[in-house]
Amino acid sequence: MASSSFLAVFVVVALLVVSLGSSNAQLTTNFYSSSCPNLLSTVKSVVQSAINKEARMGASLLRLFFHDCFVNGCDGSVLLDDTSSFTGEKTAIPNSGSLRGFEVIDQIKTAVEKACPGVVSCADVLTITARDSVVILGGPTWNVKLGRRDATTASLSAANNNIPAPTSSLSALITSFKNQGLSTTDMVALSGAHTIGQARCTSFRTRIYNESNIDASFAKTRQGNCPSASNSGDNNLAPLDVQTPTSFDNDYYKNLVSQKGLLHSDQQLFSGGSTNALVQTYSSKPSQFNSDFVTAMINMGDIKPLTGSNGEIRKNCRKVN
């Protein structure tokens, strides 16, 4: 009798362990090595083609990953289209008219589905794509951790509240990243993604006309393509890094030291606060920036992933199965 009771308890405990293991599986760098051995080359070829057509696309694809991870974790939720019964994150203030590259993700997913049907999540596609974009534009490489699954829902309110605005103060930036489990060093390093890409006039108008901690000639140049009047030229673009806008390097930090940060939130990293020293370090030590950026990207990719039996593997990144 006692032995049968012990056996029953043992079976229950064993089942619990298996259950916990399936819902809390760990991300690994070799997750698809057997189930989709050509995954990485399949993704990279599409990313390379997209960036060859338009260098700015690398920054746009990297930004998609940021905006995904900061809203309930790296779960592919940013890719979901609105439906009659569902409001996704694409119309959130930080995303609307600003996020781009969704068609490239569609192309990648189509290629991946052809190679390995129903195996690779859209969340993992975003993760690999972000790494490849950095590498193709001259930045560091790293082994991406994989095994995420896709969300079946999204949050418009979380997208509106969690993604740092270009008007953010240093303390707000630090808090925003801390809320995601990221350190101040992670925040400063990840901000270096602004070494590539462009911003809309509406995001930097106030800075170039009203702020004093800005190089005068830089401000005047930017004013030439961004009228002071609201609703006038709002979508006109300017490079986030005026030196090398399509090369992933440490010039972003050199610009901050010279008071040539395009966004208010950029220049906040070097305006007498606690992050000044780190910006100075990155401006003179590109290898340190690259190392810290890689660490920060891996840390960001670890934000609340859906694993095991949670979520799903979407066939189409724009809609739930």
Side-chain angles (χ1 to χ4, degrees):
M1 185 78 176
S3 61
S4 62
S5 297
F6 174 79
L7 182 61
V9 170
F10 177 80
V11 169
V12 169
V13 170
L15 286 172
L16 275 171
V17 168
V18 170
S19 171
L20 285 169
S22 67
S23 61
N24 294 319
Q26 297 298 304
L27 302 180
T28 64
T29 57
N30 62 351
F31 189 83
Y32 298 109
S33 58
S34 298
S35 59
C36 194
N38 296 322
L39 172 62
L40 297 182
S41 59
T42 300
V43 173
K44 189 163 189 177
S45 66
V46 182
V47 178
Q48 182 76 62
S49 177
I51 293 176
N52 287 348
K53 290 176 186 172
E54 182 195 13
R56 181 190 174 203
M57 186 53 71
S60 299
L61 295 172
L62 177 57
R63 189 161 176 254
L64 275 177
F65 181 59
F66 278 76
H67 284 228
D68 184 41
C69 291
F70 265 64
V71 182
N72 299 329
C74 311
D75 60 4
S77 60
V78 73
L79 303 173
L80 291 170
D81 284 341
D82 292 353
T83 67
S84 57
S85 59
F86 177 89
T87 302
E89 297 163 18
K90 291 182 178 179
T91 55
I93 293 168
N95 298 339
S96 181
S98 175
L99 276 190
R100 57 198 297 276
F102 296 107
E103 296 80 7
V104 176
I105 298 300
D106 292 339
Q107 292 166 15
I108 296 169
K109 180 61 170 170
T110 297
V112 169
E113 282 296 303
K114 188 176 179 181
C116 323
V119 171
V120 182
S121 67
C122 298
D124 277 345
V125 165
L126 274 182
T127 309
I128 301 166
T129 300
R131 188 274 310 273
D132 288 351
S133 295
V134 170
V135 173
I136 290 167
L137 292 176
T141 190
W142 62 96
N143 294 323
V144 290
K145 291 161 70 174
L146 301 168
R148 299 167 193 79
R149 289 166 65 84
D150 296 321
T152 55
T153 186
S155 176
L156 180 69
S157 61
N160 278 323
N161 293 319
N162 294 2
I163 298 169
T167 54
S168 296
S169 65
L170 178 60
S171 60
L173 289 169
I174 291 171
T175 298
S176 177
F177 280 72
K178 184 179 179 182
N179 289 342
Q180 301 295 338
L182 299 171
S183 69
T184 299
T185 298
D186 289 333
M187 184 271 288
V188 177
L190 289 170
S191 296
H194 284 182
T195 185
I196 52 176
Q198 301 187 59
R200 297 182 299 156
C201 168
T202 186
S203 299
F204 59 84
R205 176 183 283 122
T206 300
R207 170 154 169 75
I208 63 174
Y209 284 101
N210 299 338
E211 296 187 10
S212 57
N213 62 338
I214 186 169
D215 178 87
S217 62
F218 172 74
K220 189 171 183 180
T221 299
R222 293 280 71 90
Q223 289 169 7
N225 194 40
C226 182
S228 59
S230 191
N231 298 319
S232 177
D234 282 3
N235 292 322
N236 291 353
L237 298 171
L240 287 158
D241 168 11
V242 69
Q243 309 297 332
T244 52
T246 59
S247 294
F248 196 96
D249 53 32
N250 70 327
D251 280 356
Y252 167 80
Y253 300 101
K254 296 177 184 177
N255 295 335
L256 297 186
V257 173
S258 302
Q259 296 197 319
K260 294 178 182 176
L262 183 64
L263 306 179
H264 174 82
S265 55
D266 288 330
Q267 197 59 55
Q268 281 288 291
L269 302 184
F270 192 82
S271 82
S274 60
T275 54
N276 265 35
L278 194 52
V279 169
Q280 197 89 53
T281 296
Y282 290 162
S283 73
S284 61
K285 296 181 179 177
S287 60
Q288 184 66 54
F289 162 54
N290 284 344
S291 175
D292 287 358
F293 181 81
V294 164
T295 298
M297 284 292 286
I298 293 169
N299 290 342
M300 186 168 67
D302 283 343
I303 299 174
K304 293 187 283 190
L306 297 172
T307 59
S309 57
N310 296 315
E312 65 178 17
I313 305 297
R314 268 184 243 145
K315 295 171 185 169
N316 179 337
C317 291
R318 293 175 179 267
K319 60 184 182 180
V320 298
N321 293 339

